[in-house]
Amino acid sequence: METTLRGVGVSHGVAIGEVRHMGTAVLEPPAKQIPAADAEREQGRARQAVDAVAADLTARGNLAGGEAQAVLEAQAMMAQDPELMADVDRRIAVGSTAERAVYDAFAAYRALLAGAGEYLAGRVADLDDVRNRIVARLLGVPMPGVPDSDEPYVLIARDLAPADTALLDPTLVLGFVTEEGGPTSHSAILARALGVPAVVALPGAGELAEGTVIAVDGSTGEIFVEPSAEKKAELEAAAAQRKAALAASTGPGATSDGHKVPLLANVGGPTDVPAAVAAGAEGVGLFRTEFLFLDDSKNAPSEAKQIEAYRQVLEAFPEGRVVVRVLDAGADKPLDFLTPADEPNPALGVRGLRTLLDHPDVLSTQLTALAKAAEGLPVYLEVMAPMVADRADAKAFADACRAAGLRAKFGAMVEIPSAALRARSILQEVEFLSLGTNDLAQYTFAADRQVGAVSRLQDPWQPALLDLVALSAEAAHAEGKSCGVCGEAASDPLLACVLIGLGVTSLSMGAASIPYVRASLAKYTLAQCERAAAAARAADSADEARDAAQAVLSGE
């Protein structure tokens, strides 16, 4: 009998297939004592396993490239954390086996993360995956991971670790469903990059029996269990209609009455560029530069290495716009040479621009490298700072850009409510704003983007978040400057229309979402988008806002 479940749709498309569950290793080793004479040998085993897992994660990252590479390299750093390894050594020295010492040391660290505020608690899934891989290697059992199958299937998991998501084979994994996660979690972002339909934050997903046929609608978040032939036909027809609309929509982004909306790509490095170009991106709206710095957590990359990487991206968009975000370190992206190790709540501490202002040499080197990378190129380079709180932050960043001889527009990311509320003040120092809706939602609602239990508050349709977007866009319009959105909100085709109606001037997203957004904008006039935006802001909840906007655009 057909039943319907609803989670959070995070990656467009429809998948119909049999359920397969994520495999797990035997994770808890027995607690037994070893003779003191064996301690050194066990410590060596532990170090070998840790190094092997870190190397495997790094290799997976190199294969995956882009955003996945940065995430997996961060996991590799987590595996080799010096404090964790010191704890493992101490436990072995008092009689634990290597596998038990790893298990217990990670459990202690896990408890610290879980209790350190919701932002860091979101890293627990990544930490668990690293622990499971090390313990599995020490025990000689299969690694946790995607199931072996010769036939395509829909993958079900409690949560998907980046190491698994990054290398999913789209020819076998039709789509995936997780119990945990949110619309801006690592799994969601990587699913969009892969173009795999995905639904997250679905309670009870793990109870779906192996082999059950389900239909996953990654746009609506609906899961149809044992769908009828009629439902399958309906979903397949809708998917075919969407595909036809995408194929018919080409060229620059614009509303049906010709209002131009530049559609830009979010990239993590040179490996993301081909997909962005293929999708028709008109430039880059968010170039995350962290990938370079995650190669070595103890040292910043050289100026020469930075120049080479930046130039590869800039050369791909001649006459186009490339917006570079300077290093956003701290919180869930710690770097040993930059970020404090003892902050009680890193998400509310020294991160983003605050980190760079504490280390002006790192900022100066990056800005100088960007200036040199752009020399002689016809690209329109723009550089922005993350986590800008007020005008003083904006001025400090603009001054640093000028001191580095950077010939580019300087901008500020709006990720903190204070920046939205005082956007006009910030625009006295910089030339554009870029809304990072992922963090803006997180800080507005005190709701960690990795925690499925608070996913309703991470929903970019929340009217309070739309109010902050509108404030920023209105301030930019008043100052004759631009205000784009580079957060995941821009990848929602319906919400994209609302954002334009709020006054946003450009949209940046993962390359896979560009055709969907282009096709959606082309169906409506600017006036329709403005009416939809007003209706969404008048609502009292995210669901009501979405329904109100849809009703306006459908002519109901």
Side-chain angles (χ1 to χ4, degrees), residues 335-362:
L335 293 170
D336 292 347
F337 67 95
L338 281 183
T339 48
D342 57 352
E343 283 191 300
N345 192 341
L348 301 179
V350 181
R351 64 166 296 197
L353 180 62
R354 300 168 189 174
T355 302
L356 293 174
L357 294 179
D358 280 353
H359 298 82
D361 53 324
V362 175

Side-chain angles (χ1 to χ4, degrees), residues 263-525:
L263 300 180
L264 312 171
N266 294 344
V267 304
T271 55
D272 286 343
V273 167
V277 173
E282 298 167 58
V284 172
L286 172 62
F287 179 5
R288 301 179 177 95
T289 57
E290 291 79 53
F291 81 102
L292 273 172
F293 291 79
L294 289 169
D295 283 346
D296 181 353
S297 69
K298 294 180 171 54
N299 302 285
S302 67
E303 181 182 297
K305 183 177 181 180
Q306 292 189 54
I307 291 170
E308 181 185 1
Y310 302 152
R311 195 168 180 91
Q312 286 181 57
V313 176
L314 296 175
E315 286 176 337
F317 295 96
E319 305 293 340
R321 176 186 178 200
V322 175
V323 184
V324 179
R325 180 178 71 189
V326 293
L327 175 63
D328 184 12
D332 64 335
K333 291 171 282 190
L335 293 170
D336 292 347
F337 67 95
L338 281 183
T339 48
D342 57 352
E343 283 191 300
N345 192 341
L348 301 179
V350 181
R351 64 166 296 197
L353 180 62
R354 300 168 189 174
T355 302
L356 293 174
L357 294 179
D358 280 353
H359 298 82
D361 53 324
V362 175
L363 176 58
S364 175
T365 299
Q366 184 171 24
L367 294 174
T368 301
L370 283 165
K372 291 181 178 179
E375 283 178 1
L377 296 180
V379 68
Y380 295 95
L381 175 63
E382 302 184 12
V383 182
M384 62 185 181
M387 302 301 291
V388 170
D390 57 15
R391 182 172 180 173
D393 277 352
K395 183 179 188 305
F397 178 65
D399 288 346
C401 289
R402 284 188 281 267
L406 192 61
R407 294 183 179 178
K409 285 187 176 181
F410 318 141
M413 290 197 71
V414 177
E415 301 166 282
I416 305 172
S418 65
L421 293 167
R422 301 290 295 170
R424 196 159 184 181
S425 171
I426 288 171
L427 283 165
Q428 304 311 303
E429 305 293 343
V430 295
E431 297 170 83
F432 69 93
L433 299 177
S434 183
L435 288 143
T437 52
N438 306 350
D439 270 326
L440 185 58
Q442 175 167 256
Y443 288 118
T444 298
F445 296 102
D448 189 293
R449 55 195 280 192
Q450 301 293 333
V451 178
V454 292
S455 61
R456 78 171 186 86
L457 296 173
Q458 301 153 358
D459 193 325
W461 282 94
Q462 284 285 354
L465 186 67
L466 299 181
D467 288 344
L468 293 176
V469 172
L471 278 175
S472 304
E474 288 163 5
H477 180 73
E479 294 296 326
K481 297 179 178 180
S482 64
C483 176
V485 169
C486 64
E488 293 301 312
S491 66
D492 179 333
L494 180 61
L495 184 52
C497 298
V498 167
L499 294 173
I500 297 308
L502 293 173
V504 167
T505 55
S506 66
L507 299 170
S508 189
M509 65 209 76
S513 297
I514 290 175
Y516 291 92
V517 172
R518 183 192 292 120
S520 181
L521 288 170
K523 293 192 292 186
Y524 308 110
T525 65

